[in-house]
């Protein structure tokens, strides 16, 4: 658990839920935000800290010419082989956790009272929950997820559904939530209003 006086909040949601958009809004409103996906990209970037183990476990075919993860090849591998996904997570999650702890330590040294960790696979992995004080889930229906992703990326529906099948179900995310932000509409002002309410709730000045 976090030390008394400092709170760790996990932000999560399925693909197309608006999780990243809410995270950006919270950051713009002044809440310290640390993005686990961004840390993962650093770890799997050119000569990233995770790359030697990835090459050892999966082979050099999964290392791109610049020394980074061959993301398209790995994406296809983990879609077809759930055991490969578990192996990749076992490699990355401890490294990501360490990176998040380093970011947390930096925020504590600046006197910040809390941190929001944007963690896409928070519910999917038992690694994260015990490390957090609260879980914030951005929620919408599966049909809304599919529509949004198709609009923004032109990805075929069947590919989106494949991704969703690798993620926790809507029911599992809601069961893990301490707070839920409903994002069924595409009106950004609705989401922004909920972000402002969250910031007021989390304000250190709030009794």
């Amino acid at each position: 658990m976090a030390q008394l006086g400092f709170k760790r909040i996990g932000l999560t949601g399925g693909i197309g839920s608006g999780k990243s958009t809410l995270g950006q809004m919270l950051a713009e409103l002044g809440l310290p935000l640390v993005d686990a996906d961004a840390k993962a990209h650093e770890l799997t970037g050119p000569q990233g800290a995770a790359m030697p183990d990835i090459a050892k476990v999966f082979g050099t075919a999964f290392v791109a010419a610049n020394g980074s993860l061959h993301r398209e090849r790995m994406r296809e591998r983990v879609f077809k082989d759930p055991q490969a996904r578990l192996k990749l997570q076992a490699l990355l999650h401890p490294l990501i956790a360490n990176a998040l702890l380093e970011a947390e330590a930096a925020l504590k040294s600046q006197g910040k009272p809390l941190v929001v960790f944007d963690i896409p696979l928070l519910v999917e992995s038992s690694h994260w929950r015990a490390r957090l004080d609260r879980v914030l889930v951005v929620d919408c229906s599966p049909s809304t997820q599919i529509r949004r992703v198709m609009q923004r990326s032109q990805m075929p529906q069947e590919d989106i559904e494949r991704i969703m099948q690798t993620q926790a179900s809507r029911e599992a995310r809601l069961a893990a939530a301490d707070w839920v932000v409903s994002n069924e509409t595409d009106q950004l002002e609705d989401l922004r209003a909920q972000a402002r309410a969250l910031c007021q709730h989390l304000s250190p000045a709030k009794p």
Side-chain angles (χ1 to χ4, degrees), residues 131-165:
R131 297 170 177 262
L132 302 167
D133 294 292
R134 294 289 185 272
V135 172
L136 169 61
V137 170
V138 184
D139 176 64
C140 66
S141 67
S143 60
T144 297
Q145 291 179 258
I146 292 169
R147 175 180 56 77
R148 286 177 178 155
V149 178
M150 289 180 69
Q151 287 176 345
R152 79 185 184 199
S153 67
Q154 309 304 311
M155 187 183 296
Q157 179 170 336
E158 55 269 27
D159 288 354
I160 301 168
E161 290 173 344
R162 285 173 64 196
I163 293 172
M164 291 172 65
Q165 288 169 6

Side-chain angles (χ1 to χ4, degrees), residues 32-173:
L33 180 78
V34 179
D35 188 338
D37 251 1
K39 298 297 183 183
H41 274 74
E42 291 175 14
L43 292 165
T44 56
Q47 315 308 319
M51 292 312 301
D53 283 341
I54 287 175
K56 182 177 179 180
V57 172
F58 292 97
T60 56
F62 291 90
V63 180
N66 66 352
S68 68
L69 177 67
H70 196 304
R71 300 187 190 282
E72 183 177 351
R73 192 167 290 169
M74 182 62 77
R75 189 178 301 115
E76 286 299 314
R77 173 70 182 274
V78 299
F79 274 153
K80 294 176 181 177
D81 182 359
Q83 289 302 313
R85 184 185 311 113
L86 293 176
K87 288 179 181 178
L88 182 62
Q89 290 175 357
L91 287 176
L92 289 179
H93 283 184
L95 295 173
I96 295 171
N98 286 339
L100 297 188
L101 288 175
E102 289 176 1
E104 176 186 320
L107 290 169
K108 285 181 178 179
S109 71
Q110 299 167 23
K112 302 295 185 182
L114 61 84
V115 62
V116 178
F117 290 128
D118 182 337
I119 306 174
L121 298 180
L122 189 160
V123 176
E124 289 81 349
S125 171
S126 60
H127 181 85
W128 300 114
R129 187 59 182 93
R131 297 170 177 262
L132 302 167
D133 294 292
R134 294 289 185 272
V135 172
L136 169 61
V137 170
V138 184
D139 176 64
C140 66
S141 67
S143 60
T144 297
Q145 291 179 258
I146 292 169
R147 175 180 56 77
R148 286 177 178 155
V149 178
M150 289 180 69
Q151 287 176 345
R152 79 185 184 199
S153 67
Q154 309 304 311
M155 187 183 296
Q157 179 170 336
E158 55 269 27
D159 288 354
I160 301 168
E161 290 173 344
R162 285 173 64 196
I163 293 172
M164 291 172 65
Q165 288 169 6
T166 70
Q167 297 182 338
S169 66
R170 184 184 190 185
E171 293 74 18
R173 283 193 296 270

